[in-house]
Amino acid sequence: MAKPLVVLGILLGVAAASTIIALSVLYSQEKNKNAENSHGVAPTSPATTVSTTLDQSKPWNRYRLPRTLVPESYNVKLQPFLTPNNNGLYIFKGWSTVRFTCKEPTSVIIIHSKKLNYTTPNGHRVTLRGVGGSQPPAIDRTELVELTEYLVVHLNSDLQVGSVYEMDSEFEGELADDLAGFYRSEYMDGNVKKVLATTQMQSADARKSFPCFDEPAMKATFNITLIHPHNLTALSNMLPKGPSVPLPNDSTWNITEFHTTPVMSTYLLAYIVSEFTYVEQEAPNNVMIRIWARPSATAAGHGMYALNKTGPILNFFAQHYNTSYPLEKSDQIGLPDFNAGAMENWGLVTYRENSLLFDPQSSSISNQERVVTVIAHELAHQWFGNLVTVAWWNDLWLNEGFASYVEYLGADYAEPAWNLKDLIVQNELYRVMAVDALASSHPLSAPASEVNTPAQISEMFDSISYSKGGSVLRMLSDFLTEDLFKKGLASYLHTFAYSSTTYLDLWEHLQKAVDSQNEIKLPFSVRDIMDRWILQMGFPLVTVNTTTGTISQEHFLLDPTSEVTRPSNFSYLWIVPISYVRNGVQQDKYWLRGVQQDQNNLFKTTDSDWVLLNLNVTGYYQVNYDEENWKRIQRQLETNPSAIPVINRAQVIHDGFDLASAQKVPVTLALDNTLFLIRDTEYLPWQAALSSLSYFKLMFDRSEVYAPMQAYLKKQVTPLFSHFKNVTNSWNKRPEKLMDQYNEINSISTACSSGVPECKQLVTDLFNQWMANPSNNPIHPNLRSTIYCNAIAQGGEKEWNFAWEQYQKATVVNEADKLRAALACSTHVWILDRYLKYTLNPELIRKQDATSTIISISSNVVGQPLAWNFIQNNWKKLFEDYGGGSFSFSNLIQGVTRRFSTEYELQELERFRDSNMDTGFGSATRALEQALEKTKANIKWVKENKEKVLTWFTDHSK
């Protein structure tokens, strides 16, 4: 599944009320995991007995399947009804046969089933028969166990070991709009409401579509048949066996039967019935590529960018893995209602529209980057994840971390001029370090026994799994070299094709690659090195003293007083690969070998010499120096910044601020590290500074520190603003490079929010031109987010209503997203209050967009208290509508509590926790703990730093 949407942490600044909208909407909340709860009320079938007792000796009360039966194949026929029945419900009918082998004697068949109602032709929900002459025992009774989501078949005697059986069932389920299992998605085509049926099985919702052994290691082949309205198209993982044929006795329905799938996991199944159309081409390796979308989007050419990039990316991965693409077609489809960013179903990848479709007229460069990286992420899974699958969800990090790393390689191959690989540090590594440096973090790998329930599985889909997973695999590839890494990877994929693994299997194959050559020598085995990064949470702070040459490490905590209660077998020491430069010249790699401290003259310097560690930040750690070396780095940056690689200029800023938070260096040192920006026009260092200073904004935009801080930013950004005004010929053409386009946006948003008069005028003029002629938008798509936000903040009701009207009319989701985020920039309390109420009305704000809209409002200093009150008053409703497994729930808590920095706010948060214990917090449980921890840290940080920061900004803003 696609990563949490990060892309640019562009701070859309707003002078009027100094609103920050970190584009958390568009850009940071992606991974909204499937809402687990559907709230359709399904009719109960006659033979229901519900067991809620938890007698653990009964296998059906345990969340993990017993190993007694192993599936071989399924025949599944489904008929979705795209109009409501007499009870006003949308339903689907299904017929299923599962063939399985008995591995251990058992008198009970336990198979997953969720919210399905079975017909009982012979008084039982299933019929059982033997295959190849075996005789099945008689069925005593069947029951549905709701808690563990099982259909349980009690037999009168044991199944025979080695015998093969088939079990048939016929059932009905609700085709709900809950974005989970087999569900319905609705969208408007002009004034006509259209309904389609689609799927989202990951993690545990295939069981909501048909009874199945719904665990990733329980691989089988699937024969899917869809009965669908004759004027619609049916798609699945495989191509149809032939043309659709009319249903006997009712030609308004067609039957489409698909080829048998390879051996695969249930969570990767997909089937869709819609009127969507496609564009297609054949990749050089004879793979048929199709991009499906709403007919109007296909006709407008919005699928072409994805089509043109899919072939090259598939070829890149086939070479990277030394394994050809395993299927004969690759369908990708953009859905109007989709909770994740995308889902890697084998051969039929589903996407949110904004992650697949690209309209050059209204989509920005970051939308384009989003499309190419998400496609690369999902296509990477077609091998890693789909062909070879992790045996259980506790190892999800390997699947998602891997795709989160190689998506940058695949996208870089498709867009070689963009330097996308440089973005991984900002988008993944630094983003996740902010969470991993808390005492409430958790290791990448959890024991399988700790991950059982659907909610626990859902909690694995967090930034640690994706972004830390990707960062440590990038580090591993770097110290092994990419060639060795690829060699081990290919061997792993060839060995385990069509089966399941744990991360230790990958280590073993990488180790074989290391052992087969002599050039690259490691101080320890791959497993010994990596265990410390996988099995303990957090990361090291490496400290160098250039006077003595000592180098040491410690577990880095943003709040040095927080208590780490989670034990580690490695005492929070790591085996750290250290790359470094001395006066701009790269040196040989050095290993800190799992010890707390070491000494080496390599790190000693004299006079004006400086050293800088962690070249291009390939290592997952931060670095501190003695004061003298910091000063030398600062002098170098102020005289000739280009002697330090651009990623490391960003690193100096980022690490400096983190070290100040952790009280390892004075906050003034971190601020001094930003002085050189007055002479730097590169995106990465500016972005590091703006995202670090966004924390200062959150802490101080309600205090007297804010004015001098804005004055400093105004002084630093004015040369950048002028630079881009020249480069773009007064904002009329875009810079050529991707990073420069991103920094142009930074220059405008920072100039506007810090009060550069020319910027405010630019915004007003452009927005007024658009209001005067709504059918012709003069604002370039790259600049729309920041221009819209600032115009709405500077304006009043007239501007807001105009933008709302445009939002309702928007046919392209990227444009709608930009407007939806910008509408949260208003500085009028009553407007924001009304907008919050809109989020509870799916007619006005789509369910999938509700949480990110509330987060946008809370990013605004005026909206924050309103959003917090709104969440407190509506938690139960929000939780019921979007609850359980929805990934965006944790983002909601995180987003709304970001500014909390007073004792009063801490008490409010504790009160909120205590008064909602009954409702619960679902996948936001961990986020709530983190929010409490973060608030305490914020209170402390403000107390300690406010005066110093006020003085520094006052002194440096002149």
Side-chain angles (χ1 to χ4, degrees):
M1 193 170 310
K3 59 165 183 216
L5 233 164
V6 230
V7 198
L8 319 176
I10 299 171
L11 301 176
L12 300 176
V14 173
S18 49
T19 318
I20 303 174
I21 304 282
L23 277 190
S24 34
V25 199
L26 299 177
Y27 297 137
S28 114
Q29 301 344 110
E30 170 262 1
K31 183 106 204 118
N32 317 332
K33 261 294 289 156
N34 352 339
E36 296 268 351
N37 295 358
S38 96
H39 293 286
V41 182
T44 51
S45 70
T48 305
T49 49
V50 179
S51 157
T52 46
T53 54
L54 268 184
D55 173 359
Q56 286 296 303
S57 67
K58 303 278 189 282
W60 52 84
N61 287 332
R62 294 182 221 135
Y63 283 96
R64 294 296 307 272
L65 286 167
R67 296 290 169 256
T68 47
L69 308 173
V70 175
E72 186 181 301
S73 64
Y74 295 82
N75 283 337
V76 180
K77 183 160 52 169
L78 295 163
Q79 180 176 24
F81 292 80
L82 300 182
T83 49
N85 66 12
N86 298 337
N87 302 327
L89 284 179
Y90 290 82
I91 64 153
F92 64 89
K93 289 185 173 169
W95 298 264
S96 156
T97 300
V98 56
R99 173 182 283 214
F100 55 87
T101 303
C102 176
K103 294 290 187 191
E104 298 167 20
T106 177
S107 62
V108 59
I109 298 168
I110 297 175
I111 191 167
H112 284 109
S113 173
K114 179 178 176 183
K115 298 184 182 174
L116 297 176
N117 299 299
Y118 293 83
T119 52
T120 51
N122 50 8
H124 299 303
R125 292 182 180 83
V126 299
T127 54
L128 186 64
R129 62 180 171 275
V131 175
S134 64
Q135 287 305 307
I139 296 173
D140 172 40
R141 63 192 169 90
T142 61
E143 64 172 325
L144 292 170
V145 183
E146 244 172 68
L147 191 67
T148 45
E149 301 176 347
Y150 287 136
L151 163 62
V152 183
V153 182
H154 298 274
L155 305 169
N156 285 331
S157 57
D158 279 357
L159 296 169
Q160 298 304 302
V161 174
S163 291
V164 180
Y165 301 91
E166 284 185 346
M167 186 167 81
D168 304 328
S169 58
E170 186 180 330
F171 48 89
E172 252 180 39
E174 189 192 346
L175 197 67
D177 61 349
D178 58 359
L179 312 176
F182 197 20
Y183 71 93
R184 81 175 186 280
S185 174
E186 299 175 0
Y187 61 99
M188 297 305 290
D189 184 14
N191 295 322
V192 186
K193 182 170 99 164
K194 296 287 174 80
V195 181
L196 60 86
T198 181
T199 53
Q200 169 62 32
M201 304 310 195
Q202 191 181 39
S203 316
D205 283 313
R207 63 192 67 172
K208 204 167 154 274
S209 177
F210 64 96
C212 53
F213 296 96
D214 198 9
E215 292 190 358
M218 290 279 191
K219 291 190 171 189
T221 58
F222 296 85
N223 300 284
I224 303 293
T225 301
L226 293 175
I227 302 174
H228 53 96
H230 68 97
N231 55 337
L232 300 181
T233 303
L235 297 174
S236 187
N237 304 81
M238 308 301 288
L239 286 169
K241 286 183 174 173
S244 306
V245 296
L247 183 67
N249 313 329
D250 188 350
S251 60
T252 61
W253 293 89
N254 271 0
I255 304 175
T256 303
E257 201 177 329
F258 296 91
H259 282 292
T260 306
T261 69
V263 173
M264 63 182 280
S265 301
T266 49
Y267 79 89
L268 294 167
L269 283 170
Y271 20 88
I272 300 175
V273 172
S274 74
E275 61 164 19
F276 281 19
T277 54
Y278 63 91
V279 285
E280 77 172 314
Q281 55 174 242
E282 199 169 283
N285 44 12
N286 300 331
V287 176
M288 180 168 89
I289 297 169
R290 298 182 296 190
I291 308 296
W292 296 80
R294 288 176 291 113
S296 58
T298 300
H302 298 172
M304 292 310 296
Y305 179 67
L307 185 68
N308 293 329
K309 296 302 168 189
T310 296
I313 291 171
L314 281 175
N315 284 343
F316 170 79
F317 284 127
Q319 287 158 8
H320 191 78
Y321 295 133
N322 191 15
T323 306
S324 49
Y325 176 71
L327 305 173
E328 56 186 282
K329 60 100 166 170
S330 171
D331 278 327
Q332 302 181 83
I333 184 165
L335 297 166
D337 266 319
F338 194 66
N339 214 351
M343 177 61 214
E344 68 268 19
N345 317 302
W346 220 2
L348 176 53
V349 184
T350 46
Y351 293 81
R352 252 191 203 207
E353 284 184 330
N354 66 2
S355 302
L356 182 71
L357 305 183
F358 177 74
D359 169 19
Q361 303 309 301
S362 69
S363 300
S364 67
I365 184 78
S366 62
N367 299 138
Q368 199 172 355
E369 186 219 316
R370 166 106 190 119
V371 170
V372 75
T373 50
V374 177
I375 289 175
H377 181 104
E378 304 310 327
L379 295 180
H381 277 311
Q382 304 300 300
W383 290 261
F384 200 104
N386 298 10
L387 179 65
V388 178
T389 309
V390 293
W392 185 242
W393 301 109
N394 62 308
D395 276 339
L396 177 81
W397 72 270
L398 181 63
N399 193 15
E400 292 300 353
F402 186 85
S404 298
Y405 165 44
V406 299
E407 73 183 60
Y408 288 90
L409 310 185
D412 176 67
Y413 180 81
E415 291 289 2
W418 286 3
N419 289 346
L420 284 173
K421 287 193 239 184
D422 288 357
L423 283 173
I424 193 168
V425 174
Q426 168 197 300
N427 289 2
E428 312 295 335
L429 185 132
Y430 284 152
R431 187 171 153 266
V432 72
M433 277 183 166
V435 178
D436 206 21
L438 300 176
S440 58
S441 187
H442 62 95
L444 269 172
S445 188
S449 58
E450 282 179 22
V451 182
N452 293 299
T453 68
Q456 287 167 338
I457 293 169
S458 202
E459 253 191 0
M460 302 306 290
F461 288 81
D462 67 358
S463 61
I464 298 276
S465 292
Y466 284 74
S467 301
K468 180 176 182 176
S471 301
V472 299
L473 289 167
R474 170 176 171 261
M475 172 173 71
L476 170 60
S477 175
D478 180 70
F479 72 69
L480 287 177
T481 70
E482 195 171 290
D483 286 345
L484 266 191
F485 188 75
K486 289 196 317 201
K487 187 177 174 185
L489 185 59
S491 148
Y492 166 85
L493 287 167
H494 296 161
T495 306
F496 297 106
Y498 306 105
S499 61
S500 312
T501 60
T502 74
Y503 68 89
L504 292 173
D505 296 311
L506 178 60
W507 292 174
E508 188 186 326
H509 284 264
L510 291 171
Q511 188 62 48
K512 282 181 184 160
V514 173
D515 296 342
S516 70
Q517 52 83 59
N518 293 317
E519 263 171 67
I520 304 298
K521 294 198 164 37
L522 300 181
F524 301 95
S525 70
V526 171
R527 179 177 177 172
D528 284 345
I529 295 168
M530 295 308 293
D531 269 356
R532 295 171 181 246
W533 300 94
I534 305 308
L535 302 177
Q536 54 185 356
M537 68 177 187
F539 56 88
L541 168 63
V542 173
T543 301
V544 174
N545 184 324
T546 58
T547 315
T548 60
T550 54
I551 179 166
S552 61
Q553 63 165 313
E554 63 186 285
H555 180 190
F556 181 71
L557 294 166
L558 277 169
D559 174 4
T561 61
S562 58
E563 217 177 307
V564 176
T565 52
R566 189 186 283 273
S568 158
N569 291 341
F570 305 101
S571 314
Y572 290 103
L573 293 169
W574 287 263
I575 298 170
V576 192
I578 290 174
S579 53
Y580 66 108
V581 290
R582 179 188 279 263
N583 296 343
V585 182
Q586 188 169 350
Q587 310 292 310
D588 289 342
K589 182 160 267 147
Y590 170 85
W591 284 90
L592 187 56
R593 301 173 173 232
V595 292
Q596 195 266 314
Q597 189 173 322
D598 201 0
Q599 192 278 335
N600 198 306
N601 291 344
L602 295 169
F603 300 112
K604 260 191 189 175
T605 59
T606 49
D607 306 335
S608 61
D609 283 9
W610 52 270
V611 292
L612 184 89
L613 271 65
N614 203 5
L615 200 55
N616 291 325
V617 194
T618 51
Y620 185 70
Y621 57 90
Q622 290 193 22
V623 187
N624 191 10
Y625 308 98
D626 53 288
E627 191 182 358
E628 205 36 59
N629 195 60
W630 273 118
K631 287 202 172 116
R632 290 172 189 152
I633 291 171
Q634 286 167 352
R635 275 199 294 276
Q636 179 64 57
L637 286 170
E638 287 177 51
T639 48
N640 175 18
S642 60
I644 293 179
V646 66
I647 294 180
N648 290 98
R649 302 207 294 276
Q651 173 210 22
V652 165
I653 292 174
H654 174 275
D655 287 11
F657 279 109
D658 269 9
L659 290 166
S661 295
Q663 298 175 332
K664 298 289 178 191
V665 302
V667 70
T668 49
L669 180 143
L671 290 165
D672 288 342
N673 284 343
T674 66
L675 288 167
F676 78 92
L677 288 176
I678 202 161
R679 275 181 293 284
D680 201 321
T681 56
E682 287 286 349
Y683 169 66
L684 290 169
W686 264 99
Q687 187 52 36
L690 291 173
S691 53
S692 296
L693 288 171
S694 69
Y695 178 68
F696 284 60
K697 268 188 172 178
L698 290 170
M699 292 304 102
F700 296 132
D701 63 7
R702 302 174 287 178
S703 82
E704 70 275 26
V705 179
Y706 200 53
M709 175 174 167
Q710 293 301 75
Y712 172 68
L713 279 171
K714 184 176 174 181
K715 178 176 123 181
Q716 293 293 81
V717 80
T718 301
L720 187 71
F721 185 76
S722 307
H723 164 79
F724 280 109
K725 186 183 173 185
N726 296 337
V727 168
T728 61
N729 187 11
S730 291
W731 318 107
N732 287 311
K733 67 177 180 53
R734 300 286 67 80
E736 279 169 31
K737 291 185 186 154
L738 173 90
M739 303 278 188
D740 290 342
Q741 291 189 39
Y742 284 168
N743 218 25
E744 178 195 15
I745 303 166
N746 275 342
S747 74
I748 294 175
S749 63
T750 309
C752 276
S753 70
S754 61
V756 174
E758 200 183 334
C759 186
K760 297 175 82 161
Q761 199 52 53
L762 169 74
V763 164
T764 310
D765 293 349
L766 282 169
F767 203 76
N768 285 346
Q769 279 176 47
W770 187 28
M771 284 174 71
N773 182 2
S775 59
N776 182 19
N777 186 341
I779 306 163
H780 187 276
N782 281 9
L783 307 183
R784 284 181 189 173
S785 288
T786 189
I787 301 276
Y788 292 173
C789 178
N790 283 287
I792 286 168
Q794 288 166 207
E797 187 178 8
K798 187 174 74 176
E799 287 76 6
W800 198 94
N801 288 345
F802 173 75
W804 175 253
E805 226 169 280
Q806 299 308 308
Y807 169 68
Q808 291 187 295
K809 278 195 253 179
T811 52
V812 178
V813 72
N814 285 326
E815 177 66 7
D817 281 345
K818 292 181 179 75
L819 286 158
R820 188 167 51 76
L823 286 162
C825 297
S826 171
T827 57
H828 296 280
V829 169
W830 69 270
I831 288 179
L832 293 172
D833 203 47
R834 179 180 68 183
Y835 193 26
L836 274 167
K837 293 196 175 76
Y838 287 3
T839 62
L840 291 183
N841 180 346
E843 300 292 307
L844 296 175
I845 301 284
R846 275 182 177 280
K847 266 190 175 185
Q848 66 179 26
D849 295 328
T851 49
S852 66
T853 306
I854 299 167
I855 291 166
S856 297
I857 295 168
S858 74
S859 299
N860 174 341
V861 67
V862 181
Q864 196 267 323
L866 305 173
W868 172 230
N869 286 338
F870 178 80
I871 283 182
Q872 293 179 89
N873 296 335
N874 294 288
W875 181 255
K876 197 170 159 63
K877 178 171 172 51
L878 286 164
F879 194 70
E880 281 169 4
D881 285 5
Y882 309 100
S886 163
F887 189 54
S888 51
F889 245 72
S890 50
N891 293 338
L892 187 60
I893 293 287
Q894 199 188 341
V896 175
T897 58
R898 273 196 310 211
R899 257 191 198 82
F900 283 12
S901 53
T902 64
E903 291 292 345
Y904 177 70
E905 285 163 330
L906 176 64
Q907 286 161 12
E908 278 203 308
L909 192 53
E910 287 169 339
R911 219 176 7 252
F912 170 71
R913 177 192 60 192
D914 298 342
S915 59
N916 287 292
M917 286 296 191
D918 299 351
T919 306
F921 304 97
S923 60
T925 310
R926 187 182 274 159
L928 185 60
E929 287 311 307
Q930 286 170 345
L932 285 160
E933 186 183 348
K934 195 88 185 91
T935 303
K936 288 173 191 161
N938 291 347
I939 292 169
K940 203 161 147 281
W941 187 85
V942 169
K943 266 195 199 116
E944 282 157 7
N945 293 293
K946 189 173 177 181
E947 291 312 312
K948 296 177 224 167
V949 169
L950 179 58
T951 308
W952 193 93
F953 280 128
T954 308
D955 293 347
H956 290 85
S957 57
K958 299 185 179 68

